[in-house]
Amino acid sequence: MAGRTSSSERIVLLVAAPTRSYAAALTAAGIVSRASSSGRAPDPETHFWNVIAPLDGDLPAPVKVLTDEGKIVETVLKEIEFDDRGGGGGRLRARIQWFKDQVRFVYWDRSLSLLPVRNADYEERKLLRRHSVEHHSEFVEALPWVESAAQYAFRSDAICDICGHASHLEPSFQDVAFALPTADGGTARGSIQDVVRVDRWTGKGEGHRARLVLPSASVEDDSFEQAQAVVFNGASPYLKLEQHWPSSDQVILLAHHERSAPQVADRLKRQLVQAQGRVDLISPEDVPRGVEMMALTEKKLND
Amino acid sequence: MTESLDSVTEIFNSTEEAEFAFQPVRDADVAEFSDAYRRFKRRLGDSREHRYWRRVLRALGYYRFEILASPLPFDSPVLEPDQRSKVLQKSLSRLSQLYPQQCDEAKHLVGRFEELIARSDAPLLSSITESLQEREVESAALVVSEPRLVDGVAEHISISPDTDGVTVLSPRELVDQPPFAEMYLVGRMSWFPPWIARAPRAGRVTLVSYAGVRASVSPGPLLDGEQQGRPIAPVQMGDDGDAARDEAGSGDDGDLDDLEIRPELDLEAIADRMRHETTSASDGRDSDEFVTAQPIELERDRVVFFESDDSTAWVIDLDEAEDNRVRSLAVEAVEPGLYILLRTEGGGDVLIPIADELLGDEAERLRRLQEEWKSALRDYVHDAGLRRTVRDLREAGCSVASRFNVRRWTSPSRHVIKTKSRRDFEALVDIIGLGDADEDYWKAMVAIRDMHLRAGQVIRERLLDAVTHADLNDLSGRGVVRFELAEADAGQLTAFRVRSVPDRTVRLPRGRLREVLRSSIV
C-alpha cells in the first residue's frame, strides 16, 4: 500500500477470506517490511541533531541506552556538552547518569544507541533500570533492511497498529516458526513477531514497529497517535474503533462466517461511493477463490 | 481460534477446489402434500389470517418445512407428527360447522399429511446413502440448516451402518471443523448462511432436496463481485439436473417452492395464548399490568419477550475474545447471531433464601413485618370486598390501586414487597390500621427490596461465572447451551442463539416477560 497514495490520500482495503487465521500477522509483516525497507536508515549525525540535541532545553530527560553488550539501560540524560580534549574543536557528546553515581558519555557518532523515552512523570532515582535485549539474531539480520538486530530491537517506529483481540492474534505472531535464507546459504528460524515487533510482546525497554490496540481500549484522548497503517482483525474491532484512524491506511480483515461481515461490507460499499476511486491492488486473477477484496482511496479525514 | 498453518492451507484449498452438485429426490407423496398445502393456503386468501386457519396452517407448515429441511423419516418423533395430528384432528372436528366451504379441501390436505406420517422411510437420507456408496466416500459432513433438528438427525443416522463416517452438523459448527472431502446440505440453499457457498468447507458440496425445491439459488458475493476470483455458482450435476432445474422455481402448480417455506413466527398467536393463560389464571386481571413487549425469535424453535425500550439482556458474542464475550446489552441492540442468556429454571426459587441469607439476623423480623401488612390487607379485602378496597385505597391517596395490584399485594409471594412510591405505601398501611408505624414498615420493606436486588446480582454473578468457565464453543453449533450453577437447585441459565428480532411489538402481561416459549406449536 505504501507508495500507492499521495500524502493527502489513504487506502482502505477490505479482504474477506474463508478464515482470518494468520492474515493479520502476515499483513502486518508486509506493512512493516515495506515501510522499513523503503525508509532510509538514520545516520548518527542526523539522529543526533534531530532526536538528541532537541532535548537540550528539557534536561535532565529520560533516555534509554543500548550498550555494546546488548543491554538496554533506562536512565537520564544530564547534559549535552563539548569534549574539547584532543583539540580539533572538540566533539559533541551526551552525558548520562550511570550506575553507582557514575556518568557515561555517548559521543555524537554513537548516538544511534541513545533514544529519548517519553515519560513525563519519570522519577530519576527509579529510572536506572537495566534490561536485556536480543542483540544477535540471525533471523532478524537476514531481513534485507536490518543491519543490526540489537538496533532493530532498540528503536521504535509507529508503522502499524493492529486492532484486535490479543488471544486471537498472539499465536500467529509468536508461536509459528518461519525461515529466512541467510547470507551463508543456510536458513534462520524466527517468528513474525521478530519482524513486526508488536509492542505487547516485546521485552521491557525494547522498541516496537507495531502496536496492538485492543477493541476494548480507550483511544479517545488526543494524545493517541495514529500509525501509518492500521490492520483490523475482524468486523467487530473495525466497527468499534475505526474512527480513531481517520488518516491511516486501513486494512480490514474479515472471515466470511463472521456475524458482522455483511455490515462491514455494506459500509465499505457506501464508502466507495464517496471515495476518490477504486484501486486494483492485485490482479483479480491472482485473488484466490473464496477471497474477496475491495480497495478504495479517499481523502485523509483530518489532514 | 487460530488453526495450524496446515489447516489454513486445507481451508483455502477446499474453497479453491470446491464444486457444487444438486441431487434432486422425487417423491410423489411429498409433492402432493406440499402442492395441496400451497394450493389450500392460496385459496384461503385473507382467511388464512383467522386464528383457526393459522393454527391449522402452522401445524402443517412446520411439518412441511421440516421434512424438506431434514433427512429424517416422515414418522420421526423429532418432527412431532402425533402432536401435529392431534392439533389437526381437533380442528377438523369443528370444520364442517365453521367453514363448510373449505371442508373437503382441508380434509384432503390433512389426509395427505396423515399418509406421510404413516410412512417410516426417509427418501432424502436414502439418496445421501446411495451417493456415499456410489462415490465411495469414507467421511462426509451432513449439514442441517435448522439447529433444532441436528441432534435428531445425528441420533437417527447413528443406528445405520450405511452412514458410518458421516458427521451431522449445523452450519455454524462447520467453522470449527477441518474441511471435509464431501458435504451434503439438505433443503434449499437460501436456508443456509451465504458464507457456506462463498467459502465452502468441503471439496464437493451436494445439495440434496426434493425435486421442485428451488435449489440452485446462489448467494452473491459479499462485495460487488468486480474483483472476485472465479465466481462461485452451484452447478447442476447428475442425470436429473436439467429436469430439476426446469422444475425449480417454475411457478407452476407442481412447484414445491413457496417464497418462504419456513412458516413465519406467529406472534399474535403466541401473544393471544399468553394473554389467555394469564387472564384465566388470575380470573380477569386489569389491563394496566400489560406492557409493550419486543419479541426475539430464538434458535431451537423458541421465542422470548422483553419489555420494550428500557430492557437489557445478557448476551454472548462469539466474535469477541473469550474474556469479553459476555456482556449486558440493551434489547434494542440485540441482533441475530448473538446468544442471549435466559434463566430457564429455578432462578426465582433461589432468590428468597439468598436474600434472607444476606439479610442475616434481621431476616426474621423484616419478613414478619412484610407478612403483617400483607395479612392486614388480606383481612381488609375479606371484610370490604375487592372493589371497595380499591376505591378506599384510591381515596386514601394510593394512586396505583387496582384490582390486579391488590391481588398481587395480598398474595403470599415474598417477591411482592412494597409499592414503588412511598406515598402509595403510606396510604396502603393507613387504611389497614398500621399507619402509626408506616416509617418502620417502609424502611423494612426497602431493606428487603435492596437485598432482593443484591441477591439477584449474586445469582447472576454465579451464573456468569459458570458461563465464563463453560466451553463456549459448544454454543456455536446447536444454537443453545445450558449452564448449571455449582450450587444445587441454584438455577439454570440457557444461552439461545438469536434467530431474528421481529420489527414489531405485542402487548403482554408483565409476568410473562423473559419467559422462554415454544414458537411453532402454540
Side-chain angles (χ1 to χ4, degrees):
Chain A
M1 289 165 68
R4 296 290 305 232
T5 53
S6 72
S7 59
S8 62
E9 288 180 339
R10 66 156 174 187
I11 286 185
V12 179
L13 167 65
L14 186 151
V15 181
T19 173
R20 269 198 336 256
S21 294
Y22 302 97
L26 293 168
T27 305
I31 291 169
V32 169
S33 302
R34 176 70 185 255
S36 302
S37 57
S38 60
R40 274 178 49 220
D43 63 83
E45 187 173 0
T46 309
H47 180 71
F48 187 83
W49 286 111
N50 288 353
V51 179
I52 305 302
L55 296 173
D56 195 34
D58 297 317
L59 298 179
V63 289
K64 59 179 184 174
V65 184
L66 177 66
T67 70
D68 291 341
E69 298 79 37
K71 305 282 185 204
I72 292 175
V73 177
E74 291 183 33
T75 182
V76 174
L77 169 59
K78 292 285 203 184
E79 206 166 333
I80 296 172
E81 59 190 23
F82 268 105
D83 175 14
D84 52 7
R85 291 175 301 171
R91 294 164 71 203
L92 274 165
R93 68 183 185 185
R95 181 155 59 93
I96 54 176
Q97 181 68 46
W98 211 244
F99 296 93
K100 295 177 184 170
D101 298 327
Q102 298 169 358
V103 292
R104 191 175 264 213
F105 300 102
V106 177
Y107 286 87
W108 70 268
D109 54 348
R110 302 291 306 276
S111 70
L112 290 177
S113 62
L114 191 62
L115 282 173
V117 174
R118 292 174 58 180
N119 182 0
D121 302 321
Y122 79 98
E123 285 183 54
E124 193 172 327
R125 62 188 175 78
K126 289 185 181 173
L127 207 59
L128 282 165
R129 284 190 294 241
R130 196 195 293 252
H131 309 294
S132 293
V133 64
E134 181 70 38
H135 65 284
H136 176 70
S137 162
E138 215 181 351
F139 180 77
V140 174
E141 284 170 356
L143 296 167
W145 64 88
V146 175
E147 285 182 13
S148 149
Q151 272 294 337
Y152 194 68
F154 183 58
R155 291 179 56 80
S156 285
D157 249 328
I159 296 173
C160 181
D161 287 333
I162 300 155
C163 186
H165 297 291
S167 57
H168 291 180
L169 291 163
E170 186 171 4
S172 58
F173 277 89
Q174 300 246 71
D175 298 346
V176 181
F178 290 83
L180 285 171
T182 55
D184 59 7
T187 53
R189 286 160 65 91
S191 67
I192 290 182
Q193 169 65 2
D194 292 332
V195 180
V196 179
R197 299 201 60 80
V198 181
D199 60 349
R200 190 182 179 92
W201 304 306
T202 54
K204 279 187 176 170
E206 294 182 17
H208 60 266
R209 294 288 191 284
R211 292 179 302 189
L212 180 68
V213 181
L214 300 177
S216 56
S218 171
V219 286
E220 301 288 341
D221 65 276
D222 295 338
S223 64
F224 179 75
E225 287 180 16
Q226 305 168 57
Q228 295 167 31
V230 56
V231 177
F232 294 100
N233 189 43
S236 172
Y238 172 78
L239 292 169
K240 278 182 188 162
L241 293 183
E242 179 271 329
Q243 70 274 20
H244 296 294
W245 286 269
S247 57
S248 305
D249 290 325
Q250 296 188 339
V251 181
I252 305 136
L253 303 171
L254 303 178
H256 276 293
H257 59 260
E258 277 186 82
R259 183 171 51 81
S260 304
Q263 192 184 341
V264 175
D266 288 346
R267 194 155 148 179
L268 261 289
K269 282 187 253 182
R270 285 198 302 274
Q271 209 165 323
L272 179 63
V273 177
Q274 313 281 334
Q276 305 286 95
R278 186 168 182 154
V279 287
D280 292 331
L281 291 177
I282 60 174
S283 164
E285 293 78 44
D286 295 332
V287 179
R289 196 176 175 189
V291 176
E292 297 184 36
M293 292 176 66
M294 184 171 79
L296 56 92
T297 55
E298 63 180 12
K299 279 196 185 311
K300 289 181 178 175
L301 297 182
N302 63 351
D303 226 41
Chain B
M1 187 176 121
T2 300
E3 296 100 333
S4 70
L5 274 175
D6 286 344
S7 302
V8 171
T9 306
E10 264 188 80
I11 290 168
F12 276 92
N13 284 346
S14 73
T15 303
E16 183 74 26
E17 293 157 9
E19 59 179 37
F20 285 76
F22 174 45
Q23 195 168 300
V25 177
R26 296 177 188 287
D27 188 283
D29 288 347
V30 171
E32 199 176 343
F33 165 63
S34 196
D35 186 44
Y37 173 85
R38 202 166 52 84
R39 281 170 191 261
F40 185 69
K41 199 173 160 189
R42 191 185 298 166
R43 191 124 338 145
L44 279 177
D46 293 342
S47 304
R48 76 178 77 151
E49 296 305 321
H50 295 179
R51 186 182 296 180
Y52 176 88
W53 289 121
R54 284 212 313 259
R55 190 176 159 91
V56 171
L57 292 175
R58 206 163 45 242
L60 293 166
Y62 270 100
Y63 180 78
R64 175 176 178 247
F65 168 66
E66 290 179 354
I67 59 170
L68 299 180
S70 76
L72 287 164
F74 296 110
D75 64 348
S76 166
V78 178
L79 305 174
E80 301 178 312
D82 294 341
Q83 293 92 318
R84 294 179 204 278
S85 177
K86 214 164 151 184
V87 168
L88 291 167
Q89 293 307 331
K90 192 175 167 192
S91 299
L92 285 187
S93 66
R94 294 179 293 150
L95 182 62
S96 54
Q97 291 106 47
L98 292 172
Y99 298 97
Q101 286 184 320
Q102 283 88 12
C103 195
D104 288 346
E105 206 171 350
K107 282 184 174 169
H108 171 76
L109 170 59
V110 174
R112 302 288 74 74
F113 164 78
E114 297 288 351
E115 279 173 15
L116 269 182
I117 66 171
R119 283 174 55 179
S120 58
D121 59 324
L124 293 180
L125 187 58
S126 302
S127 175
I128 291 169
T129 310
E130 279 170 29
S131 169
L132 289 168
Q133 288 165 352
E134 192 179 307
R135 296 177 54 76
E136 298 179 348
V137 176
E138 287 183 359
S139 72
L142 171 54
V143 187
V144 178
S145 61
E146 282 289 306
R148 187 182 90 76
L149 301 173
V150 171
D151 289 338
V153 175
E155 194 178 334
H156 180 73
I157 71 161
S158 68
I159 55 176
S160 166
D162 294 338
T163 46
D164 279 351
V166 174
T167 308
V168 183
L169 299 164
S170 68
R172 189 64 178 73
E173 281 175 302
L174 278 173
V175 176
D176 302 321
Q177 299 279 336
F180 291 85
E182 300 259 347
M183 179 160 77
Y184 292 87
L185 308 179
V186 181
R188 179 174 167 171
M189 201 67 210
S190 63
W191 294 337
F192 294 87
W195 63 263
I196 285 203
R198 289 177 185 147
R201 294 283 178 114
R204 180 186 163 93
V205 180
T206 305
L207 189 66
V208 183
S209 59
Y210 287 107
V213 170
R214 194 188 307 272
S216 57
V217 178
S218 170
L222 182 69
L223 300 169
D224 62 7
E226 283 179 30
Q227 277 201 304
Q228 303 311 302
R230 281 162 287 160
I232 296 171
V235 293
Q236 307 281 350
M237 299 284 286
D239 295 340
D240 276 342
D242 289 342
R245 186 171 50 235
D246 291 345
E247 286 170 4
S250 66
D252 295 340
D253 282 352
D255 181 8
L256 291 187
D257 211 282
D258 294 348
L259 190 62
E260 183 55 74
I261 290 177
R262 186 179 193 277
E264 286 180 10
L265 189 62
D266 193 343
L267 288 171
E268 272 314 312
I270 297 166
D272 275 355
R273 185 187 68 170
M274 291 169 87
R275 286 191 288 261
H276 176 72
E277 286 173 358
T278 307
T279 45
S280 302
S282 63
D283 193 22
R285 290 180 178 178
D286 286 359
S287 61
D288 59 359
E289 280 302 305
F290 279 65
V291 294
T292 303
Q294 170 65 55
I296 294 182
E297 187 185 12
L298 307 170
E299 211 58 86
R300 311 294 284 247
D301 195 19
R302 295 291 187 274
V303 64
V304 68
F305 295 84
F306 287 85
E307 189 165 5
S308 293
D309 302 331
D310 60 348
S311 295
T312 57
W314 285 91
V315 299
I316 301 174
D317 186 348
L318 292 185
D319 285 350
E320 293 285 350
E322 281 170 20
D323 54 356
N324 203 30
R325 282 177 165 173
V326 180
R327 66 178 192 271
S328 178
L329 194 66
V331 165
E332 61 187 14
V334 171
E335 55 187 51
L338 290 173
Y339 291 78
I340 198 162
L341 280 165
L342 296 162
R343 189 174 290 166
T344 43
E345 195 180 280
D349 297 330
V350 80
L351 191 133
I352 299 292
I354 289 181
D356 285 354
E357 190 184 312
L358 294 170
L359 286 165
D361 295 342
E362 279 285 87
E364 193 179 336
R365 183 183 72 84
L366 296 173
R367 291 295 183 192
R368 183 168 42 76
L369 289 172
Q370 183 185 15
E371 182 48 31
E372 272 176 16
W373 78 257
K374 288 163 76 85
S375 170
L377 183 61
R378 272 198 292 272
D379 292 345
Y380 193 97
V381 174
H382 183 263
D383 294 342
L386 187 59
R387 185 176 300 210
R388 193 177 144 199
T389 303
V390 172
R391 196 186 64 203
D392 291 350
L393 279 165
R394 283 193 177 148
E395 283 174 2
C398 181
S399 61
V400 293
S402 66
R403 286 189 300 172
F404 172 72
N405 276 340
V406 171
R407 279 205 188 90
R408 210 160 60 84
W409 294 330
T410 54
S411 76
S413 168
R414 290 181 169 192
H415 292 279
V416 180
I417 302 165
K418 64 181 190 61
T419 58
K420 200 170 180 179
S421 91
R422 179 161 184 179
R423 195 172 154 199
D424 290 331
F425 191 75
E426 280 172 1
L428 193 157
V429 292
D430 198 36
I431 75 155
I432 57 178
L434 302 173
D436 292 345
D438 68 285
E439 173 109 20
D440 295 340
Y441 282 101
W442 178 255
K443 282 183 176 170
M445 296 311 109
V446 168
I448 293 174
R449 192 269 325 266
D450 288 349
M451 280 312 147
H452 275 220
L453 293 175
R454 177 78 194 106
Q457 288 168 356
V458 168
I459 294 168
R460 195 175 58 198
E461 283 161 13
R462 291 177 186 175
L463 287 166
L464 290 175
D465 186 55
V467 170
T468 305
H469 291 97
D471 181 2
L472 293 186
N473 289 326
D474 288 351
L475 270 180
S476 62
R478 309 293 159 90
V480 63
V481 70
R482 289 182 183 81
F483 300 99
E484 298 284 353
L485 290 185
E487 296 81 356
D489 301 325
Q492 184 185 75
L493 270 188
T494 304
F496 293 90
R497 196 167 80 89
V498 175
R499 186 179 188 117
S500 72
V501 182
D503 188 21
R504 53 172 299 201
T505 55
V506 292
R507 297 281 294 170
L508 283 183
R510 181 185 294 279
R512 305 301 297 270
L513 297 170
R514 296 180 187 247
E515 187 179 328
V516 180
L517 301 156
R518 179 83 190 275
S519 58
S520 61
I521 291 186
V522 292

